[in-house]
Amino acid sequence: MNEIQCSNCGKKANVVRGSYCFIESGLSWVTLQGIELIQCEHCGNEDPIIPRINDLMRALAVALIAKPYRLTGEEVRFLRKYMRKTAAELAQMLHVNKTTVSKWENNEDPIGDQSDRLLRVITVALGDGLLTKIEEVIAMFPHIDNTPQKIGIEIDPRDMSHQYV
């Protein structure tokens, strides 16, 4: 077996299982549970081993569109990028100005109730492999708390399940 080297200092590193704060997603409150990590005991660097990244991003999109609270700016940005849309393209779909989208994404203005729900439906319609979730997403619309709230999301990359914490 090949020896694993630290991507930071180049010294020998170990592969362990653990939790990882997935800030690379653009969402600081997403934790990957039970993921393999390359840990360096010399410099303290930690790199995740993320197999099936497309499935992981899809699972994160599902967790966001099923979230029982209004979307936050970071979540709007994540969903827009997940759909591979520019702010101008999303603004056109939602029939708002692109400045409005920018204000949502930067938490300068909260996304409105109708835009929040429409963004969820558009994500289901355009997101890769999400169309099967449309009934589930629409069924939970009456239960969305209209207060934007960051809640922790834990994803298990082995089965792509999620839970809110």
Side-chain angles (χ1 to χ4, degrees):
M1 183 172 175
N2 292 338
E3 188 174 285
I4 303 289
Q5 290 184 325
C6 174
S7 64
N8 187 50
C9 70
K11 294 188 177 178
K12 184 180 177 215
N14 300 310
V15 176
V16 299
R17 280 210 179 270
S19 297
Y20 181 76
C21 184
F22 189 36
I23 58 172
E24 295 86 351
S25 67
L27 305 166
S28 61
W29 55 93
V30 174
T31 303
L32 305 179
Q33 294 293 349
I35 194 165
E36 286 189 326
L37 302 164
I38 300 172
Q39 288 184 337
C40 180
E41 57 188 52
H42 302 284
C43 71
N45 187 52
E46 185 174 80
D47 291 322
I49 299 173
I50 304 177
R52 301 172 40 214
I53 188 72
N54 290 339
D55 291 339
L56 176 60
M57 299 309 263
R58 183 180 307 110
L60 185 49
V62 167
L64 292 177
I65 60 177
K67 182 180 123 166
Y69 297 97
R70 188 185 306 179
L71 298 169
T72 67
E74 295 86 358
E75 294 163 343
V76 170
R77 182 181 301 113
F78 176 89
L79 293 174
R80 175 180 60 78
K81 288 182 176 185
Y82 177 76
M83 294 185 292
R84 297 182 181 100
K85 299 296 177 192
T86 65
E89 290 169 331
L90 180 60
Q92 186 175 25
M93 283 189 266
L94 295 173
H95 206 267
V96 297
N97 188 291
K98 72 177 185 175
T99 304
T100 301
V101 172
S102 176
K103 287 181 178 182
W104 293 341
E105 290 184 357
N106 292 299
N107 290 312
E108 293 175 20
D109 280 336
I111 187 170
D113 298 349
Q114 291 82 10
S115 294
D116 176 288
R117 285 157 177 77
L118 183 55
L119 176 56
R120 293 174 196 237
V121 171
I122 290 170
T123 302
V124 169
L126 299 180
D128 181 38
L130 297 180
L131 205 47
T132 59
K133 303 286 185 188
I134 192 72
E135 287 183 35
E136 177 186 334
V137 169
I138 291 173
M140 64 81 157
F141 279 2
H143 309 288
I144 296 173
D145 183 329
N146 288 323
T147 306
Q149 187 169 351
K150 291 180 187 179
I151 59 172
I153 299 172
E154 290 183 350
I155 296 183
D156 186 335
R158 293 169 286 202
D159 64 3
M160 298 301 165
S161 63
H162 73 271
Q163 65 180 14
Y164 304 109
V165 292

